[in-house]
Amino acid sequence: MSDDRHAARVVEELVRAHGRTYAEEAGIRLRDTPQPLYRLLVLSVLLSARIRASVAVAAARELHAAGLRDARRTAASDWQERVDALGRGGYRRYDERTATMLGEGAELVAERWGGDLRRLRDEAGGEPDALRRLLQEVPGMGPAGAGIFLREVQRVWPQTGPQIDDKALQGAERLGLPPDPGRLLKLAGDTEPAVLAAALVRAALDKNVVDDVRRRVDDADAG
């Protein structure tokens, strides 16, 4: 089998088994409307901490279950309410600090952009670097969190993509794939860039994903 055909098989098996965005995992039906965009912002803040992705996703679900679904509700919520929701999701190591940042971030989003992150996008002119800078004005949103948001939001803001960033390229290297965004997108064919990026990031973060993909490719070749 040629190198390109093998690489395409690796991408195919990766996406088939692990091509789920983190927004999907958190139960966010991502649309270009204020509430899901805000929930993605919160998820991005949670995922950017040094904590397991599964815990961040669980905490995002608990915040939603507590009714903290948009910037105005979160800004109006009690600090202890946010701490308790994070704790129920297992986000205990950073719960108090994160509860404070979420409150401050919600106030900023509500006051500066009227609770609608599409206004942030418009302020940035849809330009990824400008978006990255504005996102990092949100408390708790550093470079990692901004990268997560941009990787995921390209599904509904396609003008900001394709976003196959350094973390995704780390996953490509672990899988023996070319660490080149253009080549990876070509190998992925019709796969959405957001789905491809999420799958590659999972490979970067979890050796079990890499082992699983390799096993799947070997099994398919043997069959």
Side-chain angles (χ1 to χ4, degrees), residues 17 19-20 52 59-60 100 118 129 143 145 163 184 190 197 207-208 223:
R20 189 182 188 198
R52 293 195 311 276
T100 298
R118 293 175 298 185
D129 287 342
Q163 292 285 334
L184 290 167
D190 294 333
K207 184 178 181 297
N208 291 328

Side-chain angles (χ1 to χ4, degrees), residues 115-135:
D116 187 348
L117 291 171
R118 293 175 298 185
R119 297 184 183 180
L120 178 151
R121 178 193 62 199
D122 293 344
E123 183 177 331
E127 204 278 321
D129 287 342
L131 277 168
R132 202 178 299 273
R133 289 193 296 271
L134 286 176
L135 286 166

